Amino acid sequence: MLWRILYNALAWTIVLPMLCVPRWRRGLGQRLGLDLRKLPKASEQPTIWVHAVSYGEVQTARPLLVALSEAFAGHRICLSVGTATGYDLACKVLSAAQVFYFPVDFYTCVQAHLEVVKPDFVCIIETELWPEFLWACREQAIPVFLLNARVTERSSKLYALFRPVFADLLSSFRFICAQSQADAERYLALGCPREKIRQTENLKLDSLKKASPQNQAALQKSLGLDPDDIILLFASTHQGEEELALALFRSLSIKQEGKPIKLIIAPRHPERVESLLPLFAGLKLARRSATSEINPHWEVLILDTLGELGLFYSLASIAYLGGTWAAVGGHNPLEATAYGIPLFVGSQTYKIEEMLALIAPAGFLFRAEHLADMILQSQSLIAENKTGQQYNLAPQEPVAAQLVKYIQEAIL
């Protein structure tokens, strides 16, 4: 009780920065429990409250929302968010009447939301641990599930300083579905009862989508590709990475006799394309935006259109993720992993280590800090015929279906 009083005394301090930052002021009246007109009102239907804080979590939650609506056909689903970008995406996923902002984690704000929405149970996505909300749900006997749960090593060390408090909070969940063994161990170390831990695969895996065979075949035909061509795809490249791609292409073209090698480069920022063209002087160069004029014997293709990278991954023999050799930190690797093709990254991966840890066990992630390493490993993959769609990351059963089964077992 003392911890709760102290926490609520400090909770209002988060309102000040929300007032100062324009993008955080959106929906503030609703968050504070002062303007509840747009909250989903209590219904005769039982209600499932799903919370996904931001755009990425809402995207991750989409397969779960579908699975919940199928498994709990008589229930309505409401989705709370914490950011404006999350709100806008959520309104595209569900009707605006089902979307609202999560309350500021203060007693009166939380109580106001719970009183209006009246959820039968709550599903929280990934890392949202709001003490007052959890305490209030526990008091009202509302089951709360933490799904696709993760906690970084850095955060777990900080939380460990307040282990008694976090142990109490974690015991408030009906159960926690950790997205990896490492996450499960960290929750256990923070005091979560072992019987409340479930380990599932990452819900993001349900979002992996491949191009249809028809679209893939049409693209191959439009580019004049032969099934024996070796396609090197450098995706989302930044300054300096195109030179790396060209050096790799030249080296492999010399070493691989009888296997035509082609290079596709997709700059992260298409406005850089014109400045890149002199780099490929002397090579047969094509641009995706000029498909009707493509020389069928092209050696290098610049992907200078938007929204097609996922489709081009379907053609790749080996992919190289840009932003990992430039000091950028990396870009989302999941589009590449949908096809199970060998994926190379450099040393600048600090933004995507969590996703790389997710795909590393599948066996198609390769790290190459320097050009020489990249050449050696790429040459080996080509020689051993380990290019193209060799691996399968998709779970045997959709992760959302696994999560829903656990929920059904717990409440039915």
Side-chain angles (χ1 to χ4, degrees):
M1 179 59 72
L2 178 59
W3 278 111
R4 189 172 183 179
I5 293 172
L6 291 173
Y7 176 81
N8 274 272
L10 295 171
W12 279 107
T13 60
I14 69 173
V15 176
L16 183 59
M18 294 176 73
L19 290 170
C20 297
V21 180
R23 70 176 185 273
W24 291 353
R25 288 200 293 266
R26 185 172 165 187
L28 186 57
Q30 191 179 96
R31 301 174 201 258
L32 294 173
L34 302 176
D35 182 6
L36 304 178
R37 291 171 296 175
K38 294 185 178 181
L39 249 66
K41 303 299 187 294
S43 166
E44 292 183 1
Q45 288 180 285
T47 297
I48 303 171
W49 177 341
V50 178
H51 177 55
V53 63
S54 191
Y55 187 99
E57 288 77 11
V58 174
Q59 193 78 305
T60 298
R62 294 178 80 157
L64 176 67
L65 296 172
V66 173
L68 285 170
S69 65
E70 293 174 351
F72 296 91
H75 292 59
R76 67 167 186 165
I77 298 176
C78 301
L79 179 60
S80 67
V81 297
T83 68
T85 55
Y87 187 92
D88 291 339
L89 177 59
C91 289
K92 295 177 181 178
V93 176
L94 299 174
S95 73
Q98 296 169 278
V99 178
F100 60 104
Y101 282 100
F102 194 80
V104 170
D105 202 42
F106 182 76
Y107 179 83
T108 56
C109 308
V110 170
Q111 293 294 333
H113 278 65
L114 289 175
E115 187 173 332
V116 172
V117 180
K118 294 191 183 311
D120 286 76
F121 65 89
V122 178
C123 299
I124 297 177
I125 307 299
E126 293 199 357
T127 58
E128 294 287 282
L129 300 177
W130 291 108
E132 179 55 42
F133 183 81
L134 293 175
W135 286 323
C137 287
R138 186 164 64 187
E139 281 184 345
Q140 298 182 33
I142 300 171
V144 184
F145 306 96
L146 185 60
L147 306 179
N148 210 45
R150 63 183 178 88
V151 57
T152 65
E153 184 175 358
R154 182 178 179 181
S155 294
S156 66
K157 289 178 180 178
L158 177 62
Y159 297 159
L161 299 175
F162 306 93
R163 190 178 186 278
V165 179
F166 277 92
D168 177 63
L169 287 178
L170 295 175
S171 69
S172 299
F173 291 105
R174 183 65 64 92
F175 62 71
I176 295 174
C177 280
Q179 60 179 242
S180 72
Q181 181 61 38
D183 291 300
E185 293 297 332
R186 290 180 191 127
Y187 280 111
L188 289 171
L190 290 172
C192 181
R194 186 171 292 275
E195 65 272 14
K196 289 182 178 284
I197 291 286
R198 312 281 189 278
Q199 186 189 336
T200 59
E201 295 175 276
N202 195 309
L203 186 57
K204 290 178 180 177
L205 296 178
D206 283 359
S207 299
L208 299 183
K209 294 181 180 179
K210 291 184 176 182
S212 69
Q214 295 82 1
N215 288 342
Q216 184 178 347
L219 181 60
Q220 285 179 318
K221 183 177 180 180
S222 70
L223 297 178
L225 293 176
D226 188 274
D228 292 331
D229 291 339
I230 301 296
I231 308 297
L232 310 179
L233 172 60
F234 272 75
S236 302
T237 56
H238 292 259
Q239 186 173 356
E241 293 180 324
E242 292 85 10
E243 289 83 353
L244 185 68
L246 182 56
L248 175 67
F249 169 71
R250 290 188 187 280
S251 178
L252 293 180
S253 296
I254 293 171
K255 296 175 185 295
Q256 301 299 326
E257 297 180 1
K259 290 186 177 181
I261 293 182
K262 294 179 180 287
L263 173 65
I264 299 176
I265 295 181
R268 180 68 174 182
H269 304 292
E271 62 269 19
R272 296 181 56 240
V273 169
E274 294 298 331
S275 66
L276 295 175
L277 299 182
L279 184 64
F280 304 101
L283 293 170
K284 296 171 184 172
L285 181 66
R287 295 175 63 166
R288 171 60 173 165
S289 58
T291 302
S292 60
E293 303 171 13
I294 279 186
N295 180 339
H297 303 295
W298 61 269
E299 297 172 295
V300 178
L301 174 69
I302 304 292
L303 180 54
D304 56 354
T305 55
L306 295 175
E308 289 194 299
L309 182 57
L311 178 59
F312 270 75
Y313 274 123
S314 72
L315 302 182
S317 306
I318 306 175
Y320 305 82
L321 188 61
T324 65
W325 289 278
V328 173
H331 296 293
N332 189 343
L334 293 184
E335 279 188 307
T337 60
Y339 295 95
I341 54 179
L343 176 66
F344 278 78
V345 297
S347 59
Q348 302 294 318
T349 56
Y350 60 89
K351 289 183 181 178
I352 58 170
E353 281 299 339
E354 178 188 329
M355 286 187 281
L356 295 181
L358 167 66
I359 66 179
F364 56 84
L365 178 67
F366 299 86
R367 294 182 183 264
E369 183 174 354
H370 303 293
L371 175 61
D373 297 331
M374 198 185 302
I375 292 172
L376 186 63
Q377 293 186 72
S378 299
Q379 185 180 359
S380 176
L381 287 169
I382 294 171
E384 296 174 13
N385 200 29
K386 292 183 178 179
T387 60
Q389 300 178 28
Q390 298 281 332
Y391 309 90
N392 183 16
L393 187 65
Q396 292 184 345
E397 179 184 23
V399 180
Q402 299 172 34
L403 298 175
V404 167
K405 283 182 182 178
Y406 283 133
I407 294 171
Q408 289 177 313
E409 290 171 1
I411 65 175
L412 297 182

